[in-house]
Amino acid sequence: MSTVFVSHHNDGYHKSTKITDLNTMDTLIYTDDNQDYDQIKEKIIELNNNNADYSEYYSIIYPIDKDKKKMKDLREELGIIINDDNTVVLPNGVVLPEGISSIFNDITDREHFEYLMNFADLLKKNPYDYAKNSLIDWIMRNPSLTILPDGRIKGYRAVRKDFKSNHSGYGIVNGVEYENDHLDNTPGNIIEFPSFMIDHDPSQRCSIGLHVGTLEYANDYSYGCGEGSHIVTVAFSPKDVVSPPYDAKQSKIRVSLMEILEEINPGEK
């Protein structure tokens, strides 16, 4: 026997549907003030024919609330706490600065959570507090960036047609030190630059260090790399972030180590 009572009303001016949970007497009322009333009514009739639970009616009338509840339940189950000041406390004790809370609010599955936990574990290893906060802000400002399964971040670089960096300088490629050269950004290479040598001042727009940009920034920068230039994706760890320059709408960041992943077509993500 169904524990839900459904009734439909039409007074000649307005139509409405009333759903009542007979166990709790909770009530939902859906009216034709909503443009999708007829579609929702058909779904309600189908649920009623199938003796559906009250929660199923609720989920089609308030789908967003259902998703929010799912996210909240998962956060509670996993031990994620979002404070009133929007800082995030993780089960491993890591406290992430405000700004990243919206990402954790959107967690809908365990796999996504694992990505973020890996990210947090790497972030706590960064010795510079200002770099941690700057990185969070940089990620939130730039939706083309992606947190990878291992917790690293995927960014972008524009390089010359020979996959060399546009500017020359010091660097370490696959363990080999180069004093003053255009560094090889061929996919598969790992490029390093000692963090103590990198300019930590974000007001210096073009300075010493390895730069990773957003997709938009890399696309724009590729024009300065000459004919036949490439755009490559790179992965860098939160622990290796030094500073994001304030220029170009904060669309690039300086890091001390990155792995070149693959070449992409301009405009591809």
Side-chain angles (χ1 to χ4, degrees):
M1 180 178 177
S2 175
T3 59
V4 177
F5 179 75
V6 178
S7 58
H8 306 285
H9 308 275
N10 186 345
D11 63 7
Y13 297 98
H14 296 287
K15 295 181 289 185
S16 65
T17 295
K18 183 178 180 181
I19 303 107
T20 302
D21 186 335
L22 298 177
N23 290 324
T24 65
M25 299 310 294
D26 289 337
T27 299
L28 296 169
I29 298 177
Y30 204 70
T31 72
D32 62 359
D33 290 336
N34 299 281
Q35 293 182 351
D36 60 353
Y37 173 78
D38 290 332
Q39 293 176 322
I40 295 297
K41 180 181 176 181
E42 290 299 318
K43 293 181 180 179
I44 290 173
I45 292 172
E46 182 179 352
L47 289 175
N48 193 36
N49 290 337
N50 293 322
N51 294 323
D53 292 332
Y54 182 79
S55 61
E56 296 180 68
Y57 294 94
Y58 190 96
S59 68
I60 65 169
I61 293 176
Y62 301 111
I64 295 177
D65 285 352
K66 179 188 176 185
D67 288 343
K68 286 183 178 178
K69 184 177 186 305
K70 179 181 178 182
M71 296 172 189
K72 182 175 182 293
D73 290 345
L74 182 58
R75 290 198 307 271
E76 290 180 354
E77 180 185 343
L78 297 173
I80 302 170
I81 300 172
I82 299 179
N83 295 320
D84 291 338
D85 60 0
N86 285 324
T87 56
V88 178
V89 182
L90 300 180
N92 60 3
V94 174
V95 179
L96 299 177
E98 65 174 306
I100 202 170
S101 61
S102 61
I103 295 179
F104 281 87
N105 271 323
D106 292 339
I107 290 178
T108 57
D109 58 72
R110 294 176 181 276
E111 184 179 43
H112 188 193
F113 170 74
E114 290 297 332
Y115 294 3
L116 293 174
M117 283 297 294
N118 291 334
F119 168 86
D121 285 339
L122 293 172
L123 184 69
K124 71 179 181 181
K125 297 176 183 178
N126 191 308
Y128 310 113
D129 286 340
Y130 68 87
K132 296 178 185 178
N133 289 286
S134 296
L135 175 60
I136 298 298
D137 184 54
W138 195 62
I139 292 174
M140 300 307 296
R141 286 172 178 263
N142 297 295
S144 71
L145 303 168
T146 304
I147 296 178
L148 299 171
D150 63 4
R152 293 184 300 170
I153 302 155
K154 183 176 78 172
Y156 304 85
R157 276 172 66 84
V159 294
R160 302 185 325 191
K161 65 180 181 180
D162 58 359
F163 284 96
K164 296 292 184 68
S165 57
N166 196 36
H167 296 292
S168 61
Y170 175 82
I172 302 169
V173 181
N174 298 331
V176 179
E177 191 172 17
Y178 295 86
E179 289 296 336
N180 187 20
D181 202 350
H182 295 272
L183 303 179
D184 186 353
N185 288 253
T186 298
N189 285 354
I190 295 177
I191 304 177
E192 301 175 66
F193 198 104
S195 60
F196 72 88
M197 295 175 61
I198 296 175
D199 192 337
H200 289 229
D201 184 357
S203 67
Q204 299 299 315
R205 54 179 299 179
C206 291
S207 191
I208 300 172
L210 301 177
H211 290 86
V212 179
T214 63
L215 179 61
E216 180 182 9
Y217 185 85
N219 275 323
D220 290 343
Y221 189 77
S222 65
Y223 293 105
C225 294
E227 185 177 353
S229 63
H230 305 278
I231 294 176
V232 294
T233 58
V234 307
F236 64 94
S237 172
K239 72 180 178 64
D240 297 320
V241 170
V242 177
S243 69
Y246 290 152
D247 72 316
K249 299 179 182 179
Q250 288 185 275
S251 56
K252 65 179 181 180
I253 201 164
R254 286 193 278 264
V255 302
S256 61
L257 187 149
M258 60 187 178
E259 177 186 357
I260 311 300
L261 298 179
E262 60 182 350
E263 179 186 5
I264 65 169
N265 296 319
E268 180 185 345
K269 290 189 178 181

